């Protein structure tokens, strides 16, 4: 296979990544609306609209801010709006999307958790998007370091590299299965599934970035890893509070 992989659409050559990214968003949103129709929890139009706007705005802004801060020196020395707009990372999108949703909920006065419904559509969208990352080879910064392990793949240069996009797809599939098992138990409070998803994914990404090329910012950590650490600490605290709340309710029931 030649990298980057392209499609011929209406006589034009289109890179695989934006195609799969678009497909991921489309199928993820369709799956979300399907689950929303089946869900017994109904949100008002104002709350749903506010959450959607908050999530979209936060994710869009965050993905680009963190994506560009991966190499802050290059951002400051050769700044251009086009370059800023084309640098993205899912880590920034998830972290700032969370901030956007929580801000929107405060504005409309909604206090209940709304995250569980988006977990599996989000995982689906990420899996499809990572297929596009893999098909870009070394032509986007979504590839791994050279390796002599049995997992090494040729991604467009002379080196065998860690196929980190494949690693992530495998992890997301495993997480889908595990979270489905947890969801079936139906004994956890609303929002717990989303908390587990965020803690699991950001822990995985923190570790994964040790085998990806990066600009070291603090010690041997890159920008994405620093963001991951902050999110991990936040969700350790959030899950601890959720577990304590569950124990308190069980004690009162008894």
């Amino acid at each position: 296979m030649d990298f980057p992989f392209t499609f011929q659409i209406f006589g034009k050559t289109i890179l695989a990544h934006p195609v799969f990214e678009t497909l991921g968003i489309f199928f993820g949103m369709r799956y979300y609306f399907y689950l929303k129709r089946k869900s017994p929890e109904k949100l008002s139009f104002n709350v749903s609209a506010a959450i959607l706007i908050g999530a979209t705005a936060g994710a869009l802004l965050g993905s680009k801010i963190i994506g560009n801060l991966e190499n802050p020196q290059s951002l400051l020395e050769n700044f251009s709006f086009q370059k800023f707009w084309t640098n993205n990372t899912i880590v920034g999108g998830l972290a700032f999307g969370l901030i956007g949703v929580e801000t929107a909920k405060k504005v409309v006065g909604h206090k209940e958790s709304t995250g569980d419904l988006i977990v599996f559509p989000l995982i689906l969208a990420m899996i499809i998007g990572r297929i596009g990352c893999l098909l870009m080879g070394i032509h986007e910064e979504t590839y791994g370091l050279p390796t002599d392990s049995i997992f090494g793949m040729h991604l467009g240069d002379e080196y065998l590299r860690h196929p980190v996009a494949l690693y992530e797809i495998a992890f997301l599939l495993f997480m889908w299965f595990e979270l489905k098992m947890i969801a079936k138990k139906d004994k956890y409070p609303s929002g717990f599934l989303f908390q587990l998803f965020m803690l699991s994914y950001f822990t995985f990404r923190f570790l994964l970035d040790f085998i990806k090329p990066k600009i070291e910012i603090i010690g041997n950590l890159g920008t994405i890893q620093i963001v991951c650490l902050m999110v991990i600490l936040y969700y350790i605290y959030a899950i601890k509070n959720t577990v304590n709340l569950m124990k308190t309710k069980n004690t009162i029931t008894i």
Side-chain angles (χ1 to χ4, degrees):
M1 180 184 293
D2 294 328
F3 296 99
F5 189 85
T6 59
F7 296 98
Q8 294 295 322
I9 301 177
F10 301 118
K12 294 185 178 181
T13 301
I14 307 295
L15 291 171
H17 195 182
V19 172
F20 278 89
E21 196 173 63
T22 302
L23 289 173
I25 293 171
F26 175 78
F27 285 111
M29 290 301 294
R30 297 310 305 165
Y31 188 31
Y32 169 74
F33 287 123
Y34 167 76
L35 294 177
K36 191 172 184 293
R37 286 195 300 271
K38 292 179 60 178
S39 174
E41 299 179 11
K42 303 299 180 182
L43 299 177
S44 68
F45 173 79
N46 287 343
V47 172
S48 296
I51 290 173
L52 182 61
I53 293 170
T56 303
L60 185 64
L61 184 62
S63 67
K64 298 184 184 308
I65 290 175
I66 303 303
N68 281 276
L69 288 178
E70 286 188 79
N71 189 347
Q73 185 175 352
S74 175
L75 174 66
L76 294 174
E77 291 179 352
N78 304 299
F79 180 82
S80 71
F81 182 77
Q82 181 180 4
K83 181 180 178 182
F84 177 85
W85 194 253
T86 54
N87 280 338
N88 302 281
T89 172
I90 186 64
V91 166
L94 288 175
F96 278 70
L98 170 67
I99 295 172
V101 168
E102 293 303 321
T103 301
K105 285 164 61 177
K106 287 185 182 298
V107 170
V108 297
H110 185 78
K111 296 182 180 180
E112 298 299 320
S113 174
T114 57
D116 286 355
L117 204 60
I118 196 65
V119 168
F120 296 107
L122 191 55
I123 294 175
L124 175 63
M126 291 166 67
I127 289 172
I128 296 173
R130 284 307 181 206
I131 295 172
C133 292
L134 176 67
L135 295 177
M136 291 301 295
I138 61 166
H139 296 274
E140 282 188 355
E141 294 179 1
T142 51
Y143 54 88
L145 294 172
T147 179
D148 57 2
S149 76
I150 60 172
F151 301 110
M153 287 181 60
H154 285 293
L155 297 174
D157 60 9
E158 70 271 26
Y159 300 107
L160 286 170
R161 294 183 176 274
H162 284 289
V164 291
L166 274 182
Y167 296 166
E168 188 163 334
I169 290 170
F171 174 77
L172 289 169
L173 289 171
F174 172 76
M175 186 161 55
W176 182 301
F177 174 78
E178 289 296 314
L179 292 179
K180 277 291 185 184
M181 294 299 101
I182 293 172
K184 285 181 179 179
K185 295 181 179 180
D186 198 28
K187 66 176 184 179
Y188 299 102
S190 178
F192 187 64
L193 210 63
F194 183 74
Q195 291 174 349
L196 288 179
F197 162 74
M198 292 290 278
L199 179 61
S200 301
Y201 181 73
F202 278 87
T203 301
F204 171 79
R205 275 305 304 267
F206 174 77
L207 297 173
L208 187 71
D209 272 45
F210 282 113
I211 56 172
K212 293 177 65 177
K214 63 178 181 288
I215 304 296
E216 295 179 348
I217 304 297
I218 299 177
N220 65 338
L221 302 181
T223 300
I224 285 178
Q225 289 175 301
I226 295 169
V227 174
C228 285
L229 277 179
M230 291 189 288
V231 175
I232 289 167
L233 291 174
Y234 172 80
Y235 275 103
I236 288 175
Y237 173 77
I239 290 175
K240 181 180 177 182
N241 284 345
T242 300
V243 171
N244 289 339
L245 182 62
M246 290 167 58
K247 288 180 179 178
T248 301
K249 288 184 176 180
N250 289 337
T251 302
I252 294 173
T253 302
I254 294 172

